[in-house]
Amino acid sequence: MLAIPVINAIASNTTEYFRSDILNTGNLRALIIGLFSLYFIFTRLPNEGIHRFVLLYLGFYFLLVLFATDRLHSGNLFLKFSLGVIMFPIGYYYINSVEKLRLLVKVLFFTLILHLINIAISNIFLLGTSDYLDQTFYFGAGRVNITKNILVLVFMFPVTMLFVKKHRRLVLAVYLAGFLTAMMGIKRSVLISAAVGAIAYLLAKQRITLLIRSILIAGISGIILVFAFPRFTDLFKLRFEARGERVELTEETFETEGRINEVGLVLNAWASGSFKHKLLGSEVFNDRIFFNSKRMLHTDYMIILNGSGVIGFLLWFYLFILLIREKNKYYRFLSNHILFRELNALFWMLLAAQLVLSVAGTLYAIELRSLIFMVWGAFIGTMRGYLISKSIPSGAIMSKLKNSAR
C-alpha cells in the first residue's frame, strides 16, 4: 500500500513519454494498483459502515457501465475513477496507528521529492511542455496538471512537521519548493484551491486571529520573495501575464470558457431528457457519445450529473457526508490531542480543495484522487486505531469498536 503514491508519481510523470498503444507506465500502474485493489476488496475490505457504502457506490457505476454504448471506453474511465475512491478504505484499513501514519507521511514526502526531481530534470533538459508561455518553465510529460498533485502533497506540511525531529529546515525547504512549483503553474484551480484550503485549515483550527495574521504574513513574505528572488518573481509575473484574462474572472472569460458553457449544456440536457436520464443519466463516463462532440466534459459535477443522473449526483455528495460523519465519530474523543487536531484541520483542508478542484476536473486523475482519498482513510483509520489502543472512552461506542477491530 505504501508503494502506491510512489507508483502513481512515476506514472504521472512518465506516461506521456510512451505511445498509448503499448504497455506504458500508466497502463502498468493501473494493472498493479488494480490487481491490489481487487485483492483488497475480496480479502480485506470490512463489510461494515462506510466501507460497504464505498463498495455499493462503485458497484452502482459498474452497472451503469454495462449499459453504456461503448463499454470499453466507459469501463476504462470507470477504472480510473474507482482506483481513486477505493483508496479510502485501503488507507483506512492499513493505516491504523500513529506509527503507520508516520510511515505514510514519510512516503508522501518522498513522493513530493520525486515530483520536484522530475520538474528539475524537465527544466534542465527542456522536457515536456511549458504551458501558457513557451520556453519559460517546463512541467515534463505530466504537463501543468501535475501541479494539482504537488499542491495536495504540500498540504501535508503541518502533519509532517509534527513527526520531523531532525533536518527541519531541509524539510521546510522541500515543501517551500513544492509550493512555489505549484504556484508557477498558474492554474486557477490550483491557486484558488491553495487559498480556499488554507482558509478551511485555519477555520477548522478555530484560529480566526491566526487567519488574519497569516494573511499579513503572506503579504510580507510575498514582498520579501520579490526582493530575495527577483528572477523567480519575474518569471512568475511573465507567466501570469501570459495567462492574461483567463486568470481573471471577468464576464468575457465566463462567456468563452468551455467549462461554463458545459454547465448550461448538461443542465439543458437533464431538464429536457427522459425520466431515466434525469434519474440515472446516460452514457456514463462517455459524454462525447451522448453529445456527439469531440470535447469531453471537464467538470466533475457535470460528468456525474450527465452520466449518472440525480442519483449519482446525490451519492457523490453523500459520500463526502459519510466521510465527515466517520471522521467526527472518532475525532470528538480526540479534539484535545495536538496530532488529531492537525489531522482534523487537514481533513477539512483537503475537502475544500477537492470541491474546488472538481470544477476543473479530477474524476479521472488517478494520482490526485488516490492521494486525497488515501489520506482521508489514513487519518480516520489512525483516529480509530488510537482510540482502540487506548481504550478511551470505555462506553458502548468503544465496545462496538473493539468488536469490529481488525
Side-chain angles (χ1 to χ4, degrees), residues 271-285:
S272 60
S274 64
F275 178 75
K276 172 185 171 295
H277 179 71
K278 287 183 172 66
L279 205 61
L280 295 171
S282 303
E283 300 295 347
V284 65
F285 304 133

Side-chain angles (χ1 to χ4, degrees), residues 23-41:
L23 186 62
N24 56 41
T25 53
N27 296 332
L28 190 60
R29 176 257 305 273
L31 177 64
I32 294 173
I33 300 179
L35 289 175
F36 174 73
S37 298
L38 287 175
Y39 160 78
F40 173 78
I41 290 172

Side-chain angles (χ1 to χ4, degrees), residues 155-186:
F155 282 165
M156 295 298 296
F157 169 71
V159 70
T160 302
M161 296 306 288
L162 290 179
F163 288 125
V164 172
K165 302 302 181 183
K166 299 179 180 179
H167 311 298
R168 292 173 66 89
R169 290 183 179 179
L170 178 60
V171 172
L172 176 61
V174 171
Y175 276 106
L176 179 60
F179 176 75
L180 295 177
T181 299
M183 296 301 100
M184 188 60 75
I186 317 294

Side-chain angles (χ1 to χ4, degrees), residues 227-246:
F227 290 101
F229 302 98
R231 292 185 62 182
F232 175 85
T233 51
D234 288 344
L235 179 59
F236 181 87
K237 183 179 178 181
L238 282 173
R239 291 181 54 77
F240 189 90
E241 290 174 348
R243 192 74 155 113
E245 291 185 353
R246 293 181 64 82

Side-chain angles (χ1 to χ4, degrees), residues 21 28 31 34 53 56 84 88 99 115 159 171 181 299 345 350 364:
D21 59 343
L28 190 60
L31 177 64
F53 175 81
L56 293 174
F88 173 78
E99 187 54 39
H115 278 294
V159 70
V171 172
T181 299
T299 304
L350 288 170
Y364 310 134

Side-chain angles (χ1 to χ4, degrees), residues 52-279:
R52 186 187 299 119
F53 175 81
V54 168
L55 190 60
L56 293 174
Y57 180 65
L58 293 177
F60 166 74
Y61 278 100
F62 178 74
L63 290 176
L64 293 182
V65 168
L66 295 180
F67 290 95
T69 302
D70 188 345
R71 296 187 188 92
L72 182 62
H73 181 77
S74 292
N76 178 49
L77 295 181
F78 165 75
L79 176 62
K80 296 182 177 180
F81 169 75
S82 61
L83 287 181
V85 176
I86 197 62
M87 287 302 124
F88 173 78
I90 287 177
Y92 193 134
Y93 180 86
Y94 286 105
I95 308 301
N96 53 16
S97 69
V98 174
E99 187 54 39
K100 290 181 180 179
L101 178 65
R102 186 196 304 271
L103 289 174
L104 178 62
V105 168
K106 288 181 178 179
V107 170
L108 295 179
F109 180 70
F110 176 70
T111 304
L112 175 60
I113 293 176
L114 287 181
H115 278 294
L116 294 178
I117 291 174
N118 168 71
I119 294 294
I121 293 175
S122 298
N123 281 277
I124 292 172
F125 297 101
L126 308 183
L127 301 176
T129 62
S130 178
D131 302 79
Y132 307 133
L133 185 60
D134 290 340
Q135 300 179 350
T136 54
F137 195 88
Y138 289 81
F139 297 93
R143 301 177 63 88
V144 72
N145 280 327
I146 207 73
T147 56
K148 297 178 183 178
N149 308 337
I150 292 174
L151 180 66
V152 171
L153 290 167
V154 169
F155 282 165
M156 295 298 296
F157 169 71
V159 70
T160 302
M161 296 306 288
L162 290 179
F163 288 125
V164 172
K165 302 302 181 183
K166 299 179 180 179
H167 311 298
R168 292 173 66 89
R169 290 183 179 179
L170 178 60
V171 172
L172 176 61
V174 171
Y175 276 106
L176 179 60
F179 176 75
L180 295 177
T181 299
M183 296 301 100
M184 188 60 75
I186 317 294
K187 283 196 69 69
R188 283 167 299 184
S189 58
V190 173
L191 298 176
I192 297 173
S193 296
V196 172
I199 293 172
Y201 171 82
L202 294 172
L203 289 177
K205 298 196 76 171
Q206 299 179 347
R207 302 291 296 274
I208 304 300
T209 56
L210 180 58
L211 174 59
I212 297 173
R213 192 160 69 242
S214 297
I215 294 174
L216 294 174
I217 293 174
I220 295 172
S221 300
I223 296 173
I224 295 174
L225 188 65
V226 169
F227 290 101
F229 302 98
R231 292 185 62 182
F232 175 85
T233 51
D234 288 344
L235 179 59
F236 181 87
K237 183 179 178 181
L238 282 173
R239 291 181 54 77
F240 189 90
E241 290 174 348
R243 192 74 155 113
E245 291 185 353
R246 293 181 64 82
V247 179
E248 301 172 6
L249 299 180
T250 63
E251 183 177 351
E252 182 180 356
T253 303
F254 279 133
E255 292 175 351
T256 58
E257 185 66 48
R259 289 186 178 89
I260 300 300
N261 294 335
E262 74 180 38
V263 172
L265 182 68
V266 171
L267 291 180
N268 288 335
W270 186 85
S272 60
S274 64
F275 178 75
K276 172 185 171 295
H277 179 71
K278 287 183 172 66
L279 205 61

Side-chain angles (χ1 to χ4, degrees), residues 4-14 29 111 114-115 146 367:
I4 290 176
V6 176
I7 293 172
N8 274 324
I10 293 172
S12 296
N13 288 308
T14 59
R29 176 257 305 273
T111 304
L114 287 181
H115 278 294
I146 207 73
E367 183 186 4

